[in-house]
Amino acid sequence: MSGPELATERLLLRRWRKDDREAFAALNADARVMEHFPGCLSSVQSRDLLGRIEQHFERHGFGLWALERRDVPGAIGFTGLSVPDFEAAFMPCVEIGWRLAFEHWGRGYASEAARAAVDFAFAELGLPQLVSFTVPANARSLAVMRRLGMRLDDPRGFEHPALPPGHALRRHLLFRLARPDPGAVH
Ligand SMILES: CC(C)(COP(=O)(O)OP(=O)(O)OC[C@H]1O[C@@H](n2cnc3c(N)ncnc32)[C@H](O)[C@@H]1OP(=O)(O)O)[C@@H](O)C(=O)NCCC(=O)NCCS
């Protein structure tokens, strides 16, 4: 299954190509981009992650799309949907996520792409809800969640099981977005 591609006013959300590998590795090797993650990724780790992203597309028909500006060729990061690979009280779920090269922050690209992914999740996949999560310090990511209309679940957050107890990044905040009720009056 190749999976659909999405387009917005300024952006394309598309499947990854071999020639994106370098940009993807540079994204994950940038300490500014990875500030709220346990560490930067080596080029081998980035290659493995891209392999897992592609496997996810094959398995589910959706995933973390490469994000490309319509006016400049080349991937500037990703935005998309993924099924988390860890156990938590809020599973099963589909997560919406984003990661952009630092020079493309502050232009509304993540929110624009995420809105297209939200529409796809509800209108095409028929999902009942989406979740997103990050550490409390990741203000930019939290701002994207709020711009999408996502609501904070439990202010106490949850402990991310991939990190050891006591790790500074273990506590995460969970946000949820329910599919709009088509009968609702606005
Ligand atoms: C999280 C991340 C994607 C957010 O990127 P972002 O550019 O801040 O988010 P948006 O696309 O919503 O852009 C909003 C900003 O663009 C500005 N903007 C400029 N032109 C705009 C336009 N045409 N339309 C909308 N917003 C525009 C907004 O005013 C806002 O600026 P501000 O944050 O200075 O107030 C980015 O910081 C990132 O990649 N972080 C590292 C990875 C990460 O932590 N991912 C999340 C892990 S859970």
Side-chain angles (χ1 to χ4, degrees):
M1 200 187 306
S2 66
E5 306 203 336
L6 309 181
T8 70
E9 191 186 337
R10 297 179 294 171
L11 302 164
L12 296 173
L13 287 77
R14 61 159 174 79
R15 288 290 293 269
W16 295 88
R17 300 188 304 244
K18 281 206 175 93
D19 62 1
D20 294 319
R21 281 186 190 158
E22 215 171 294
F24 187 68
L27 174 77
N28 299 320
D30 185 336
R32 299 167 298 187
V33 173
M34 301 304 281
E35 180 186 355
H36 302 292
F37 293 87
C40 293
L41 301 189
S42 67
S43 57
V44 171
Q45 287 171 317
S46 273
R47 193 194 58 204
D48 291 349
L49 176 57
L50 207 44
R52 291 198 298 278
I53 289 173
E54 284 304 295
Q55 279 171 9
H56 187 290
F57 272 106
E58 297 304 323
R59 181 166 173 202
H60 298 284
F62 60 84
L64 297 172
W65 286 279
L67 194 61
E68 180 162 317
R69 287 171 52 171
R70 292 172 75 154
D71 59 345
V72 185
I76 63 164
F78 65 73
T79 301
L81 307 169
S82 67
V83 178
D85 61 358
F86 58 86
E87 290 302 318
F90 51 87
M91 302 295 176
C93 68
V94 175
E95 178 195 5
I96 183 163
W98 33 73
R99 186 179 302 173
L100 266 61
F102 183 76
E103 58 270 30
H104 296 287
W105 294 10
R107 299 183 197 183
Y109 291 147
S111 293
E112 183 173 319
R115 281 190 198 99
V118 166
D119 288 348
F120 177 78
F122 292 149
E124 303 298 326
L125 300 177
L127 299 179
Q129 87 166 346
L130 290 170
V131 304
S132 195
F133 43 83
T134 190
V135 293
N138 194 347
R140 281 192 169 270
S141 192
L142 294 172
V144 176
M145 295 174 201
R146 293 199 173 94
R147 277 182 206 113
L148 295 177
M150 301 191 89
R151 298 279 170 82
L152 178 62
D153 189 57
D154 178 344
R156 288 172 299 180
F158 72 98
E159 304 283 303
H160 199 304
L163 294 166
H167 192 288
L169 298 174
R170 189 162 150 95
R171 186 173 158 255
H172 278 58
L173 297 176
L174 177 74
F175 279 66
R176 295 181 190 267
L177 184 65
R179 183 174 62 210
D181 176 356
V185 178
H186 295 286

